[in-house]
């Protein structure tokens, strides 16, 4: 076929394509003289069709070519199928018109094109699917390689998660567990102490520096003093251990670990906490008195949580005494056996208790401007989880005393 | 050769031992005290030339001790050494006459420099004190009349005018002047004027 023939076929295809203006009222064609002067057709589609029709009919029999200025001879052309081309009348029995006047089937507009391109599209789709599948397999293998060593990893790799389980997972992450709350509160308390803790850590570092520089001076002498240097090195080792102990202590408190009940000596707990807050107490001018009975029975507790409660009570006591004159800031800690329980009291000479003593133990109840209001609530939660109690009493003179009672270990195990 | 004695007041035994090692390595004699109270208790028996003082200590702070010492032993140079100092503390300490206000960890050179400056300043003060004491003892040798003449002399008046104002003869004034320069061991009027100023003697009107 020649190029012209191909072009005509294409024009016909355009002409037979789905119409968008078929349902509209009959419009006079645009360029026909004699037709009432109207604006240009609303649809460019129609104009294209008309042009295509003209082109397709260009070398048709004479009746068509002569009647191309169609509007001129409407009388001889009879009724006009007005659904597609209004105005000009075309012969009724023309096979072209028959094709023009009906809707094309779904198959017709690009049937051969579809037949031709379908295998190509199918093979491309197959290729893309293969590539995607390969990518997914590689990624899963990589994740599995990283996580295979974690036997308790909670998410099963490769198992598709539905929307519902995903939502459950997020919800359970948002709702804090008691253990997480206790940890957050512990971190907040240590944050309050951070200045003093930095000082506590700075102290051994400063001692190490001075000692090392003293040793350098001893060695640079004309007659080096090796005995002096030996003594200094021993000091350096000692101070390094002291710094290490502090970081260990902090790490234990900052760690979010499982609660581990174990036999705990209350005196050790008090001692650990006092070591942590020593600097803070000195800075605030608080004098501490300890009356800790010897030979107290052990309690079954999580040592970190017990320390947390004591730390919280001591920091509270110091806060309560900030408003007091420096001479009167006294903190007393006692530990004794009381009716079979181990009882620890933290007594301050501060501003005293609010009227509603129980409300203090409610969450988000705080009298401090920057307080979270969680300390006492969490302390009570911890004590109750240990089978113990915590309560507060005002002192006869001024200030308050907080009491902790923990069952001795024999009672718990029996 | 006598070495300067440095007093260390710090509640942390580690700090005391470290600073003691450093200062001993530099040839100083060191006395350590565990608190402000300890220093006040033993300080009189074990005198020190310079004090290295911690600020934050249980009970009384280093600043309290400085305030207390200002009355009794104002000449004792004090160097503050603190791990948790702030600007108000430093201002208070330096205003009250501290040689320096250092923070831990301290560089050895910085601390030793402060100690030496403190000692030098104390030495200068001591020699000044000695000179003043000597001058005062000389002034005490003058009779009341001679002291009166001295006040007129340092006002720059000629003998004739002094004699007229004190109602005596010019010759008597000349004798008084001679005595004054002899006893004060000051041949020139200029030196006499300067010494009188140091001793706080007001010239006569």
């Amino acid at each position: 076929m020649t190029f012209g023939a191909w072009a005509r076929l294409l024009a016909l295809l355009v002409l037979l394509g789905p119409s968008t203006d078929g349902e509209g009222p009959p419009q006079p064609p645009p360029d026909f003289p004699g037709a009432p002067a109207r604006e240009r057709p609303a649809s460019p589609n129609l104009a294209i069709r008309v042009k295509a029709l003209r082109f397709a009919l260009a070398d048709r029999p004479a009746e068509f070519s002569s009647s191309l200025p169609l509007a001129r001879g409407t009388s001889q052309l009879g009724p006009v199928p007005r659904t597609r081309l209004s105005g000009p009348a075309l012969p009724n029995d023309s096979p072209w018109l028959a094709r023009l006047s009906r809707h094309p089937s779904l198959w017709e507009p690009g049937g051969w094109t579809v037949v031709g391109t379908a295998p190509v599209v199918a093979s491309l789709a197959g290729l893309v699917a293969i590539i995607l599948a390969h990518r997914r397999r590689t990624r899963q293998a990589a994740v599995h390689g990283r996580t295979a060593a974690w036997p308790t990893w909670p998410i099963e790799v490769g198992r598709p998660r539905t929307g519902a389980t995903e939502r459950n997972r997020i919800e359970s992450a948002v709702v804090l567990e008691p253990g997480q709350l206790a940890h957050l509160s512990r971190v907040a308390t240590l944050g309050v102490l951070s200045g003093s803790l930095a000082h506590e850590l700075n102290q051994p570092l400063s001692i190490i520096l001075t000692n090392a520089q003293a040793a350098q001076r001893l060695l640079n002498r004309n007659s080096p003093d090796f005995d002096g240097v030996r003594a200094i090195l021993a000091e350096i080792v000692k101070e390094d251990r002291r710094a290490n102990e502090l970081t260990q202590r902090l790490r234990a408190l900052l760690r979010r670990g499982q609660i581990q009940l174990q036999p705990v000596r209350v005196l050790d707990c008090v001692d650990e906490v006092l070591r942590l807050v020593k600097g803070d107490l000195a800075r605030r001018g608080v004098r501490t008195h300890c009356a800790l009975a010897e030979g107290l029975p052990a309690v079954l507790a999580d040592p970190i949580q017990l320390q947390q409660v004591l730390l919280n009570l001591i920091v509270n006591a110091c806060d309560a005494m900030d408003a007091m004159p420096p001479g009167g800031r006294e903190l007393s800690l006692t530990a004794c056996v009381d009716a079979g329980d181990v009882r620890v009291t933290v007594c301050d000479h501060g501003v005293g208790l609010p009227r509603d003593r129980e409300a203090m133990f409610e969450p988000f109840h705080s009298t401090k401007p920057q307080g979270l209001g969680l300390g006492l609530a969490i302390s009570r939660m911890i004590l109750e989880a240990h089978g113990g109690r915590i309560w507060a009493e005002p002192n006869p003179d001024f200030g308050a005393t907080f009491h902790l009672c923990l069952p001795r270990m024999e009672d718990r195990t029996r | 050769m006598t070495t300067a004695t440095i007093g260390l007041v710090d509640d942390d035994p580690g700090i005391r031992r470290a600073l003691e090692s450093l200062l001993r390595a530099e040839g100083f004699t060191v006395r350590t005290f565990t608190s402000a109270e300890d220093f006040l208790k033993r300080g009189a028996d074990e005198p020190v030339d310079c004090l290295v003082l911690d600020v934050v200590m249980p009970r009384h702070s280093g600043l309290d001790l400085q305030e207390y010492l200002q009355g009794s032993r104002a000449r004792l140079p004090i160097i503050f050494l603190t791990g948790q100092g702030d600007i108000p503390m430093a201002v208070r300490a330096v205003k009250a006459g501290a040689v320096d206000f250092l923070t831990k960890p301290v560089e050895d050179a910085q601390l030793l420099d402060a100690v030496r400056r403190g000692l030098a300043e104390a030495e200068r003060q001591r020699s000044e004190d000695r000179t003043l004491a000597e001058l005062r003892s000389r002034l005490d040798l003058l009779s009341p009349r001679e002291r009166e003449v001295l006040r007129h002399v340092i006002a720059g008046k000629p003998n004739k005018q002094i004699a007229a104002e004190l109602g005596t003869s010019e010759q008597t004034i000349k004798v008084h002047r001679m005595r004054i320069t002899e006893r004060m061991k000051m041949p020139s009027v200029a030196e006499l004027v300067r010494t009188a100023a140091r001793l706080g003697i007001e010239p006569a009107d």
Side-chain angles (χ1 to χ4, degrees):
Chain A
M1 260 199 283
T2 60
F3 172 76
W6 273 113
R8 283 201 182 83
L9 184 60
L10 190 65
L12 265 179
L13 277 176
V14 171
L15 192 62
L16 295 173
S19 161
T20 52
D21 55 338
E23 304 303 319
Q27 292 278 336
D31 297 320
F32 292 153
R38 297 289 296 260
E39 350 182 313
R40 298 185 70 76
S43 161
N45 207 0
L46 186 64
I48 293 168
R49 278 160 190 280
V50 171
K51 282 180 182 157
L53 179 65
R54 280 182 174 174
F55 186 64
L57 298 180
D59 58 351
R60 289 297 107 195
E63 58 170 307
F64 281 119
S65 49
S66 63
S67 69
L68 249 187
L70 291 166
R72 286 190 195 143
T74 43
S75 57
Q76 67 188 85
L77 288 172
V80 175
R82 289 189 167 238
T83 49
R84 293 211 157 260
L85 283 171
S86 55
L90 289 172
N92 233 352
D93 52 348
S94 157
W96 296 99
L97 262 187
R99 284 183 75 176
L100 285 179
S101 56
R102 68 176 173 85
H103 278 285
S105 71
L106 271 177
W107 175 246
E108 272 169 334
W112 290 109
T113 321
V114 170
V115 170
T117 52
V120 179
V121 169
S123 58
L124 276 178
L127 195 63
V128 168
I130 289 167
I131 290 170
L132 284 178
H134 176 72
R135 225 166 89 127
R136 184 178 156 83
R137 256 202 318 278
T138 328
R139 286 190 176 181
Q140 279 183 7
V143 172
H144 188 74
R146 286 199 298 271
T147 55
W150 306 345
T152 55
W153 187 241
I155 301 165
E156 277 186 54
V157 178
R159 193 188 69 181
R161 281 192 241 116
T162 67
T165 55
E166 179 72 353
R167 194 169 62 239
N168 289 345
R169 196 183 63 79
I170 291 166
E171 277 169 2
S172 64
V174 169
V175 178
L176 291 170
E177 291 167 13
Q180 287 172 303
L181 258 184
H183 173 252
L184 278 183
S185 157
R186 210 153 63 215
V187 171
T189 308
L190 287 175
V192 171
L193 289 175
S194 59
S196 304
L197 293 173
H199 171 69
E200 288 298 301
L201 200 57
N202 194 33
Q203 196 83 341
L205 290 178
S206 153
I207 294 172
I208 289 170
L209 177 68
T210 302
N211 271 317
Q213 289 177 331
Q216 282 173 338
R217 283 172 188 270
L218 286 181
L219 290 176
N220 287 341
R221 279 177 172 182
N222 290 334
S223 53
D225 176 3
F226 290 113
D227 286 341
V229 172
R230 232 167 260 132
I232 284 174
L233 289 179
E235 280 288 313
I236 289 177
V237 170
K238 197 163 98 187
E239 292 302 324
D240 193 276
R241 293 212 172 110
R242 167 173 158 188
N244 187 40
E245 268 176 33
L246 179 68
T247 50
Q248 293 291 341
R249 205 167 281 136
L250 279 179
R251 247 176 57 178
L253 278 172
L254 288 171
R255 195 170 43 212
R256 192 173 56 188
Q258 290 292 310
I259 295 169
Q260 289 177 333
L261 291 183
Q262 50 184 274
V264 175
R265 291 183 59 215
V266 173
L267 298 197
D268 291 345
C269 264
V270 173
D271 189 50
E272 283 283 303
V273 173
L274 282 181
R275 276 167 195 268
L276 260 186
V277 295
K278 194 179 76 180
D280 197 54
L281 294 175
R283 191 173 55 81
R284 293 170 167 218
V286 175
R287 269 184 284 170
T288 316
H289 307 281
C290 288
L292 310 171
E294 289 295 323
L296 284 178
V299 295
L300 192 65
D302 178 65
I304 296 301
Q305 291 208 334
L306 200 51
Q307 281 179 38
Q308 173 176 3
V309 174
L310 286 170
L311 188 65
N312 184 245
L313 293 182
I314 290 173
V315 169
N316 280 353
C318 290
D319 288 345
M321 289 191 286
D322 269 347
M324 297 289 145
R329 297 179 191 164
E330 299 207 358
L331 175 75
S332 310
L333 295 172
T334 68
C336 59
V337 177
D338 175 38
D341 289 344
V342 175
R343 184 201 279 219
V344 182
T345 66
V346 179
C347 170
D348 66 56
H349 283 180
V351 291
L353 298 172
R355 200 174 302 147
D356 188 355
R357 272 186 265 156
E358 277 309 296
M360 291 190 304
F361 292 96
E362 296 294 322
F364 306 112
H365 179 96
S366 181
T367 54
K368 301 179 210 170
Q370 71 279 31
L372 276 178
L374 285 177
L376 283 178
I378 286 169
S379 294
R380 173 162 278 185
M381 187 186 81
I382 290 174
L383 260 289
E384 282 172 358
H386 283 80
R389 285 181 303 137
I390 177 171
W391 71 97
E393 283 172 4
N395 290 341
D397 43 1
F398 50 94
T401 303
F402 281 81
H403 299 258
L404 310 180
C405 257
L406 280 164
R408 59 200 293 173
M409 213 172 110
E410 292 84 19
D411 297 348
R412 281 284 291 260
T413 48
R414 204 178 291 148
Chain B
M1 175 189 137
T2 57
T3 58
T5 304
I6 315 293
L8 290 176
V9 186
D10 200 306
D11 58 320
D12 189 319
I15 291 276
R16 287 200 301 270
R17 283 194 294 266
L19 291 175
E20 190 176 354
S21 300
L22 180 65
L23 292 167
R24 275 194 206 287
E26 283 301 294
F28 293 107
T29 307
V30 181
R31 301 222 158 90
T32 58
F33 305 90
T34 57
S35 65
E37 294 80 12
D38 187 30
F39 177 76
L40 291 178
K41 218 183 288 169
R42 298 194 290 124
D45 305 332
E46 304 170 28
V48 296
D49 301 311
C50 179
L51 206 54
V52 177
L53 192 52
D54 186 15
V55 179
V56 181
M57 289 185 286
R59 298 175 81 86
H60 293 105
S61 75
L63 293 170
D64 294 342
L65 181 60
Q66 182 193 30
E67 202 175 323
Y68 182 84
L69 291 176
Q70 267 189 327
S72 54
R73 293 160 69 178
R75 295 281 177 262
L76 184 64
I78 296 177
I79 293 141
F80 281 99
L81 186 56
T82 180
Q84 36 192 355
D86 50 26
I87 291 171
M89 267 186 206
V91 169
R92 186 181 153 190
V94 172
K95 267 191 176 169
V99 178
D100 215 335
F101 192 93
L102 303 173
T103 52
K104 295 174 193 168
V106 68
E107 283 297 326
D108 55 350
Q110 217 178 355
L111 177 69
L112 292 169
D113 173 58
V115 167
R116 293 203 174 102
R117 265 190 293 128
L119 289 172
E121 173 65 15
E123 183 52 41
R124 202 188 58 72
Q125 287 276 2
R126 265 199 297 276
S127 79
E128 168 87 8
D129 286 354
R130 273 198 297 274
T131 315
L132 278 179
E134 165 69 17
L135 291 175
R136 221 172 281 278
S137 69
R138 288 185 210 164
L139 188 68
D140 288 343
L141 293 176
L142 301 185
S143 70
R145 188 62 172 176
E146 283 162 357
R147 259 181 242 190
E148 205 173 0
V149 173
L150 174 65
R151 290 181 63 228
H152 284 85
V153 170
I154 60 174
K157 294 175 186 170
N159 290 348
K160 207 172 190 172
Q161 191 190 343
I162 299 172
E165 283 183 18
L166 295 180
T168 180
S169 74
E170 200 182 335
Q171 192 55 40
T172 317
I173 298 300
K174 272 188 179 168
V175 173
H176 279 316
R177 270 188 96 135
M178 210 177 61
R179 279 266 182 76
I180 291 169
T181 49
E182 250 178 41
R183 288 184 175 168
M184 294 298 282
K185 294 178 186 165
M186 278 167 206
S188 75
V189 176
E191 212 170 328
L192 211 53
V193 170
R194 218 173 44 230
T195 308
R198 277 173 84 179
L199 291 171
I201 301 169
E202 294 283 317
D205 298 330

